[in-house]
Amino acid sequence: MKKDITIPAVTDVFMAVVKEYNNEFQCEDWNAYIVNNKDTTIEMVLIVSKGYDEDKMIETAVLRHKIEKLPAKSFAKVELLQEEVLKLSNFFNVTFFEGNTMFDKKYLFEKGAIKEGALRNIPLLNKRGILIN
């Protein structure tokens, strides 16, 4: 039965981690975003995230997020990443529907990848961050 289920490859949907100023707390925060660069809306977006370090056997709690609809050429903030979590590998599993087709992709920010020196301009967000596809 499992072999009969085909899940197509994901294109034009990305995860990004952005460093941005928080006006409320007057500090710099790291935030994870999902980016839909498709020409169509994606629906029922489920994101499961976790930080871990296999060497030190450290693991964060698993967080789950749901976005009903993410319009074409748009993005949504998923979660705040605390400084301690940046030292870990950060994993995001994204599942969504485009029409009647289900898509699933795993995104991994390797340990040490989220840092100031890796920031690049992310056009759709118009912010500086780290984009993974």
Side-chain angles (χ1 to χ4, degrees):
M1 290 237 179
K2 243 183 173 180
K3 64 179 172 52
D4 296 329
I5 300 172
T6 57
I7 299 175
V10 173
T11 58
D12 296 327
V13 175
F14 311 103
M15 287 299 299
V17 174
V18 174
K19 188 168 189 180
E20 54 195 342
Y21 189 74
N22 182 328
N23 288 323
E24 186 177 346
F25 294 105
Q26 299 181 350
C27 65
E28 295 282 333
D29 284 339
W30 290 92
N31 292 300
Y33 283 85
I34 185 166
V35 179
N36 177 12
N37 200 34
K38 291 180 172 290
D39 292 326
T40 59
T41 297
I42 59 176
E43 299 176 327
M44 193 57 110
V45 182
L46 303 173
I47 304 165
V48 177
S49 65
K50 179 173 86 169
Y52 65 91
D53 185 336
E54 290 177 343
D55 298 334
K56 296 180 181 177
M57 298 177 66
I58 298 172
E59 199 172 280
T60 66
V62 174
L63 299 177
R64 293 171 179 82
H65 310 278
K66 177 183 161 193
I67 301 168
E68 281 294 327
K69 291 184 181 201
L70 189 59
K73 305 291 183 188
S74 69
F75 57 89
K77 189 183 294 187
V78 176
E79 68 184 47
L80 167 73
L81 297 172
Q82 296 178 333
E83 287 290 329
E84 298 81 26
V85 176
L86 301 179
K87 299 171 189 163
L88 307 173
S89 294
N90 287 278
F91 167 81
F92 296 86
N93 189 72
V94 178
T95 305
F96 62 90
F97 283 89
E98 182 180 352
N100 291 327
T101 306
M102 183 175 85
F103 292 83
D104 182 75
K105 186 165 181 177
K106 294 166 180 46
Y107 299 88
L108 177 65
F109 291 91
E110 296 282 347
K111 179 170 58 172
I114 302 172
K115 58 186 175 188
E116 292 273 346
L119 297 177
R120 303 288 179 260
N121 187 46
I122 302 174
L124 192 58
L125 273 77
N126 199 24
K127 298 178 183 199
R128 290 181 53 77
I130 300 136
L131 186 72
I132 197 159
N133 57 3

